[in-house]
Amino acid sequence: MDDIAATRRNLIFTMVAGSVLSSSAVRGQDGAKVAQGPAGQFVALSGRIATPAAFGAKGDMTTDDTAALQACLDTGLPVIIPEGRFRITRALQVKPGQIVAGLARVGSGTGAAIVNTVAGGGCLWYTQDTATGQQPMPMIANLFLSADFPIRFNDPERGQIGDGPRSNIPYGMVPLVRGCRIVARDRGTGTGIAWTKMFDGVIEECQIEGFSTNILLQGCDLNAVRHNRSVLASRYHVLDLSVSSFGSQNIIEHNDLLQAGSDACIFVKSSGRHARIRDNYLEHGFTGASDASVRSFTGFIDASSVDAPHLGVNGGRAVYHDRREQPDRRRQIRA
């Protein structure tokens, strides 16, 4: 996991380091060159990187940039999103292992935003793959995203979690979401980041605000959720669900989890095996003196399967009394 993640991180850091905005041109690790064109648009000077401007995207929050951004992503190349607010009306599908990144860190004053104002919509999804083997997952970084369901890796509602023919989704390998600000279109609705059947991934240095569930791990193994700021989740700040024999050894650490968005909120709920929940800062405060709905909440941490929700076609955790009955999934997916 570390070698793969390090290679992908090196590429993205080369492409989107904050200092590049002060340069007239950027050269990626593979030699691709990106230059600043008219009106702050960035255009690719080689075939190694795709940019929205080359496909007609405007980033003015008035034009519907859905088709242009999807055409850009369909190249399968790393995609750099320049400064601007790109309005879309349906979720964009990302390719396996694709890098999608803003050109500067969110909050630097030169941010890249993708906004879907349609109810039930998303921003960057990987949800159309029905293969059942391993697939490298996308890497998303340095973006402002706003929708009801901004990021989905595998479909949490229709994806059947299982091994081999018992599943209709891949084993998602080494996903990464880093340095993003992810905001609910309508407070208390949707899920900010939803991962299903993901392995060895990282969600880090993000700010997620105002969803029903801010971060969802469903049937995921060996992922890290760390160094994030999660605010005003109505139901869960972090929800880690075990499904059958899937869902173990996820680490939830050193996050800033602030404010319950409703009295039903549990800050961290995990039914996963061997979950590590440690060194998080948990604080419940009022959003306003007149907001009575957040004067109480359900709890900070619940590490049990009691009342764990079941999503879509998936049931809950299977209890194995003899470890020899458990499928050796680690051997299957590493083969």
Side-chain angles (χ1 to χ4, degrees):
M1 175 187 76
D2 291 341
D3 290 343
I4 296 172
T7 299
R8 299 174 78 204
R9 285 194 180 96
N10 287 341
L11 173 58
I12 200 166
F13 291 160
T14 302
M15 293 197 317
V16 300
S19 61
V20 302
L21 286 177
S22 62
S23 304
S24 60
V26 183
R27 189 173 294 276
Q29 189 172 8
D30 58 2
K33 193 175 181 183
V34 176
Q36 187 169 5
Q41 297 297 318
F42 284 75
V43 294
L45 299 185
S46 79
R48 301 296 184 89
I49 292 174
T51 61
F55 296 86
K58 302 301 183 183
D60 57 12
M61 200 51 196
T62 300
T63 305
D64 183 349
D65 285 323
T66 307
L69 287 176
Q70 188 60 65
C72 187
L73 292 166
D74 285 345
T75 65
L77 296 169
V79 173
I80 294 180
I81 310 291
E83 180 181 0
R85 294 179 67 83
F86 295 84
R87 183 176 70 87
I88 61 173
T89 52
R90 68 174 184 274
L92 304 169
Q93 291 289 332
V94 187
K95 298 295 184 181
Q98 192 169 34
I99 295 169
V100 184
L103 198 56
R105 289 187 67 91
V106 173
S108 65
T110 53
I114 300 175
V115 179
N116 190 335
T117 58
V118 177
C123 292
L124 297 169
W125 289 7
Y126 185 92
T127 57
Q128 295 182 342
D129 193 344
T130 58
T132 57
Q134 296 182 43
Q135 281 282 27
M137 286 293 107
M139 171 189 287
I140 298 172
N142 297 353
L143 291 170
F144 176 94
L145 303 173
S146 182
D148 286 347
F149 302 95
I151 295 176
R152 281 184 167 182
F153 290 174
N154 284 337
D155 193 320
E157 300 293 335
R158 300 182 180 88
Q160 179 68 57
I161 299 172
D163 288 305
R166 294 180 294 174
S167 183
N168 61 0
I169 53 176
Y171 301 94
M173 307 306 297
V174 202
L176 176 65
V177 179
R178 182 180 187 273
C180 293
R181 185 180 177 196
I182 301 171
V183 178
R185 180 193 67 88
D186 184 20
R187 178 176 158 184
T189 300
T191 303
I193 300 173
W195 284 6
T196 300
K197 200 179 170 184
M198 295 290 119
F199 295 80
D200 301 329
V202 178
I203 299 170
E204 63 182 359
E205 299 176 17
C206 294
Q207 179 159 325
I208 306 102
E209 304 173 24
F211 296 89
S212 175
T213 298
N214 280 0
I215 298 173
L216 167 67
L217 306 178
Q218 181 181 209
C220 296
D221 290 2
L222 294 162
N223 298 280
V225 177
R226 64 192 183 199
H227 310 307
N228 300 288
R229 182 181 176 89
S230 176
V231 182
L232 281 173
S234 292
R235 194 65 185 90
Y236 306 102
H237 281 276
V238 182
L239 176 59
D240 172 27
L241 291 177
S242 178
V243 178
S244 185
S245 62
F246 288 76
S248 68
Q249 294 173 270
N250 293 308
I251 298 175
I252 302 164
E253 66 176 356
H254 212 259
N255 299 287
D256 205 6
L257 308 180
L258 304 174
Q259 300 181 350
S262 78
D263 56 8
C265 182
I266 298 174
F267 279 52
V268 180
K269 170 71 175 178
S270 176
S271 62
R273 292 174 297 279
H274 312 298
R276 293 166 175 82
I277 305 168
R278 63 194 185 195
D279 298 332
N280 297 286
Y281 180 80
L282 311 175
E283 179 181 285
H284 175 56
F286 300 149
T287 59
S290 62
D291 192 350
S293 66
V294 295
R295 294 176 186 269
S296 62
F297 68 106
T298 299
F300 279 125
I301 297 175
D302 180 358
S304 76
S305 59
V306 176
D307 295 327
H310 296 170
L311 304 181
V313 298
N314 295 292
R317 172 179 169 181
V319 178
Y320 293 91
H321 298 288
D322 184 342
R323 290 190 60 84
R324 292 173 297 178
E325 296 175 13
Q326 299 189 44
D328 190 351
R329 185 174 64 260
R330 189 65 52 196
R331 184 174 300 167
Q332 292 178 40
I333 69 171
R334 302 299 186 194

